[in-house]
Amino acid sequence: MKHRIVVLGAGYAGAFAAGNLTRRLSSADTEITVVNAEADFVERMRLHQLAAGQDLAFRKLADVFAGTGVRLRLARVTGVDPERRTVAVTGEDGDGELAYDTLLYALGSSVAHHGVPGVAEYAYDVAGRSSALRLRERLARLDEGSAVLVVGEGLTGIETATEFAESRPDLSVALAARGELGAWLAPKARRHLRQAFDRLGITVHEHTAIEAVEPTRAITGGVSGVGALSIPADVTVWSAGFAVHPIAAASGLEVAETGQIVVDRTMRSVSHPDVYAAGDCAYAIGDNGRPLPMSCASAGFTTMQATAAIIARLTGAEVPTTGLKYHGNHISLGRRDAIFQMVDADVRSKSWYLGGRTAARLKAGVLKGAGWGIAHPTFGMPKRKHRLVTTPDRAGVRVAA
């Protein structure tokens, strides 16, 4: 019987992992299945562009995995039973169940509401394609001078606000920041960011916590000791962090307070050794002793480590360790400007940064490279693949080690 590897999610982490596994492992010994709710690969790092009205080309996952041997199951994951080693799914074919021998959990994350009243009912986000398209439709109906408020001063919030201001100069775009805009950046990079906001006409509300969202405004918790205020907003875009799906916690896997799966240095679940996690849903400790942030960069590092560990353990090789370092932030400021800020081992910004058109071209190259990697998941199928090492289990049935 073939060793069944099931990959949950076909985002940056899941799609890359499936391609790498099928490239390295012999199809005579393994059966690799990818489960994803959408038929297309979604470039999450570009969803703010989609919401701003730009047309993006989406790749069909069926085309991505054609000829690779990877099986694609279009369905939504509804549960995981790590004791029975099964995954419950639902899709066009109805409810079903998939059995696995090794599970790679890469379901990513969604927008975090943080329990703020009105966010679920009235706010928009760019955390998924459907929500980005919903926002796109709403923005298209806005009249000149309408107010758009982006909540959150992180990378997503900054990229969203600048993209909207550049694409729709007829709108009044503002950003609400709990702290200082770009506080984590080096001084020169912070000045560059503020100059970009000034150039694009974006109003910044610093030290402003949004405590409620209503149809035409956002209620703040006050600024510098002043009482509650309201910020006009015909559209509120919520980008105040991400959260993982509660499926992992409900399954009995050991999770952190964030709901992320707690993994060891090889991305293996500390509670269930048949389960690995990669991307936003993995609570992984980086080389600096701190949890890796939810980001595309972290997804790349954790995916490389997870697939390397799976392949090594199944083929009897020594498990290698890949670097788990966070190198820096690359922030788009519209289509013609960007900031590339390097950080040190303690994730503190270095004094050097790259900005302007050169940084924008570099960011475009990163996005293009990531897209090419997904479109070519096996990077060309090799002539020789690794066979699995098998050992007799207690029942006398030969299974993968």
Side-chain angles (χ1 to χ4, degrees):
M1 182 177 179
K2 292 184 179 182
H3 188 90
R4 298 160 299 184
I5 301 176
V6 174
V7 179
L8 303 184
Y12 291 105
F16 176 83
N20 195 31
L21 289 169
T22 195
R23 179 176 185 268
R24 304 278 302 280
L25 296 173
S26 172
S27 59
D29 300 327
T30 56
E31 177 183 287
I32 300 172
T33 301
V34 175
V35 182
N36 199 63
E38 294 198 46
D40 300 331
F41 171 73
V42 176
E43 291 185 86
R44 188 173 183 179
M45 291 191 292
R46 300 182 65 190
L47 288 179
H48 57 288
Q49 295 176 241
L50 179 68
Q54 298 168 36
D55 294 326
L56 305 180
F58 292 93
R59 298 176 177 85
K60 293 290 182 183
L61 289 172
D63 296 335
V64 168
F65 294 120
T68 65
V70 173
R71 299 184 179 189
L72 176 64
R73 177 72 178 268
L74 295 178
R76 181 171 57 86
V77 177
T78 58
V80 175
D81 187 337
E83 305 303 329
R84 295 176 53 238
R85 293 191 298 186
T86 58
V87 177
V89 299
T90 184
E92 294 182 355
D93 299 331
D95 297 340
E97 191 174 79
L98 292 173
Y100 67 83
D101 298 301
T102 296
L103 179 71
L104 179 54
Y105 191 108
L107 288 178
S109 62
S110 58
V111 67
H113 293 168
H114 300 300
V116 176
V119 173
E121 296 83 1
Y122 306 119
Y124 297 77
D125 67 79
V126 293
R129 182 169 66 167
S130 60
S131 58
L133 288 172
R134 175 172 167 264
L135 174 56
R136 177 189 178 115
E137 294 173 359
R138 180 70 183 96
L139 292 176
R141 298 195 303 269
L142 291 179
D143 296 327
E144 182 177 353
S146 295
V148 176
L149 175 66
V150 178
V151 180
E153 70 273 29
L155 305 185
T156 302
I158 291 173
E159 292 195 334
T160 300
T162 53
E163 196 74 49
F164 289 0
E166 182 179 87
S167 299
R168 292 291 305 273
D170 59 310
L171 301 177
S172 176
V173 180
L175 183 142
R178 292 183 66 91
E180 179 186 352
L181 178 67
W184 73 92
L185 295 171
K188 290 182 179 179
R190 195 180 312 146
R191 286 196 295 271
H192 186 114
L193 176 63
R194 289 186 175 278
Q195 290 169 359
F197 269 60
D198 290 342
R199 170 173 53 82
L200 294 168
I202 302 171
T203 301
V204 181
H205 302 277
E206 294 184 313
H207 307 289
T208 302
I210 302 300
E211 296 192 349
V213 176
E214 297 180 358
T216 59
R217 64 177 184 168
I219 308 301
T220 79
V223 182
S224 302
V226 180
L229 304 170
S230 66
I231 301 175
D234 297 295
V235 171
T236 297
V237 184
W238 195 260
S239 58
F242 298 98
V244 299
H245 198 284
I247 286 178
S251 71
L253 292 165
E254 183 172 336
V255 299
E257 292 183 0
T258 58
Q260 296 167 290
I261 298 172
V262 180
V263 296
D264 64 15
R265 183 58 178 76
T266 68
M267 302 302 116
R268 197 179 204 178
S269 165
V270 297
S271 62
H272 295 79
D274 299 318
V275 178
Y276 293 77
D280 288 353
C281 56
Y283 187 79
I285 304 301
D287 294 343
N288 60 1
R290 302 177 183 179
L292 290 174
M294 293 185 185
S295 68
C296 183
S298 298
F301 299 140
T302 56
T303 301
M304 286 188 288
Q305 178 62 80
T307 54
I310 291 172
I311 293 166
R313 289 191 172 113
L314 292 181
T315 59
E318 182 178 350
V319 178
T321 55
T322 61
L324 297 178
K325 298 180 180 179
Y326 194 77
H327 296 286
N329 299 313
H330 203 165
I331 316 166
S332 293
L333 304 174
R335 295 298 86 214
R336 296 180 294 276
D337 193 5
I339 291 173
F340 184 65
Q341 174 69 73
M342 297 291 291
V343 300
D344 61 20
D346 294 320
V347 200
R348 293 175 300 195
S349 294
K350 297 181 179 180
S351 60
W352 177 88
Y353 90 102
L354 182 67
R357 288 183 179 271
T358 300
R361 286 194 290 267
L362 179 58
K363 179 63 179 287
V366 170
L367 294 173
K368 185 176 181 179
W372 187 93
I374 296 300
H376 304 81
T378 62
F379 295 91
M381 300 291 284
K383 295 181 179 179
R384 180 179 179 275
K385 296 186 179 184
H386 299 287
R387 300 296 301 269
L388 271 60
V389 175
T390 57
T391 58
D393 68 4
R394 294 179 181 177
V397 180
R398 296 180 66 79
V399 295

